[in-house]
Structures are given as C-alpha cells and as structure tokens.
Amino acid sequence: MKKFFSVTDVDNLDRIVKEALELKANPYINETLGKYKTLGLVFLNPSLRTRLSTQKAATNLGMSVMVMNMDKDGWALETQDGVVMNGSTVEHIREAAAVMGEYCDILGLRSFPSLKDKEADYNEDLFNKFIKFCGVPVISLESATRHPLQSLTDLITITEHKKSIKPKVVLAWAPHVKALPQAVPNSFAEWMCKAQAENLVEFTIAHPAGYELNEEFTKGATITSNLKEALADADFVYVKNWSSYKEYGEVYPVDENWMMDNEKLELTNDAKIMHCLPVRRDLELSSEILDGPNSLVIKEASNRVWAAQVVLKRILEDLK
C-alpha cells in the first residue's frame, strides 16, 4: 500500500477487515515493524478520535509520532502556483510538504472542505499536492470528500457485530444546526457499495429530497426519501448529517422528523445504531438510543485504532 485515500486503495475488503481484527486480538504482534520510522500527523482542522487512535496505532507498531497543528502552529500555506506571495500566506505547499517528507516516513493529513466552492473541494487539490511534493506515503485523516479510516472502521464494526452473512445496512440522514460536509457519508457509501459488490452487505441510503450525494459514491445503493421504508428489516443504521451536494453546502428545511429514536428503532430488525462522533444528542440521535443497548458508537470509536493500525502496517511492509 503506497497511500490510503479511498476504498480504491484496498483490493479486498474482507481480507483487510480480517487482518484488522487479528491486530485487535494481538495488538503488539508487529511492535518492531515501525522501529526507527516516524509518522507525521498534520491537522488543518480539529480532531479527537482520528488523532488519538492513529497515534495509538502507530505506537503499537513501534513508530515515533510527530503532530503538527497547521491551523494553530504552522505558517499559512499557499497552495496555488504562479502566485506572488505578498499577501497572508507565508509558506508554499511545495516547500512545506517536501520538508515534512524529509522528517517523516509516512504522513497523515486532515483537512475539511470550504463548502463554498464545490469544484475546488472535490478536486482535492491540497491532498494531491501533498502527495506530489512530500515524497512519502500519505494517509487521509479526512479530506474534503472522504474519510476512509472512519469507513474502514465502520466495516470492521459491522463485521464484528453482524448476525447474518449479508446484513442490511442503512445510511440515514439526520438533522443538524449547521451545514456539514459530505465526506463521511460519501466515504461510507463508497465503502458499503464496494462491500455490497463483494456480497458482504445489502446497502440502502435514506435522505430527504435535496440531500442527494454525488452519484460517484452511491453506485449500486438503493436510495429512498422514505425513512420508514428504509428502516424495515435493517440490521445496522448509520446516522449522519450532511449538507446538499447539488446546491453545494446548502441546508434545506425538513418538515418530517428524521432524528433516530426508539420509536423508529422498532421498525428495524433490532438494528445496531452507528455514528462517527461527535454527535449532537437529541438532535441527530436521541439520548435513549445513545445510552441504550443498540448503540455501537463507543465500540465503533474504539475500532478506529485497528483501522489505522492495519493501514499503517501495510504501508510499513511496503516500505521495507
């Protein structure tokens, strides 16, 4: 594995999930694999689970870890070529990424979208330039369009808790107080569509009209605006808010109640409820579910370590 940016960087989902669960059962089996190797974690935006889980995974592999909060500690980056840097930007991405590559054997990068310019966000210019100029493998810690470590975690969690060979998985839109990116739902849909193609799940997306995701990420999914219909016989319900893709970054009023609660849970096959966190209680998800027996959110967050560890392990093996 030379980079980890999307599901296309994984050839077999079942195999990588099994490998991650083997690491969960024996976390230190590769504790010398990363000896004398350094992981750089570069954050342009806040992080809790991604930061801590990736750092723990690297430590389990014997790596040293350096963390850089570019939004607070670093110079303002210029990403465009041919620009006279006489404004607010201080350092060009060409030099910044190249220097980081000199210090680190693997880089992890996290950056959120602007939600103002769809073309710029979906071009993933920042990530592509980091990959081009740093000279070392790059792991996405979330980008404008995807969050692959979270999606791998979600598949690990579903595999661990499924009660049937091919469970029904539903991605359900939820309310929020502000516009959120499409990165997590895009990525979850992309991974579940591939999992469905490999006969691992049956996948449905439910959202109100106007909240359609980019079709690039949803090919093969059953898509409906009828939440009750989607929840019927569901084994897992993944709850997440996102803003409009078509009218980029917009939030439309929704009259129906889309918050997942125990009443809606009764429509399912006693489904396990998932969310990437952080979650706004009693807005996106009811407290009765979060505090109840069907919630997987903490176990899901715990599995972030094994998703990061299996990706780092594969990259380290390719570096040898």
Side-chain angles (χ1 to χ4, degrees), residues 1 4 21 82 110 113 156 181 207 216 280-281 288 315:
M1 186 178 284
F4 186 70
L21 290 172
R110 181 182 181 96
I156 291 167
H207 58 69
E216 174 188 349
R280 293 189 181 234
R281 282 175 171 254
E288 61 188 9
I315 292 175

Side-chain angles (χ1 to χ4, degrees), residues 115 173 178-182 185 210-213 241-252:
L115 284 182
W173 183 90
K178 63 179 183 179
L180 293 187
Q182 298 103 36
Y211 286 96
E212 294 78 9
L213 295 168
N241 173 267
W242 62 89
S243 58
S244 173
Y245 169 74
K246 185 177 180 180
E247 298 298 329
Y248 194 57
E250 292 297 314
V251 176
Y252 301 108

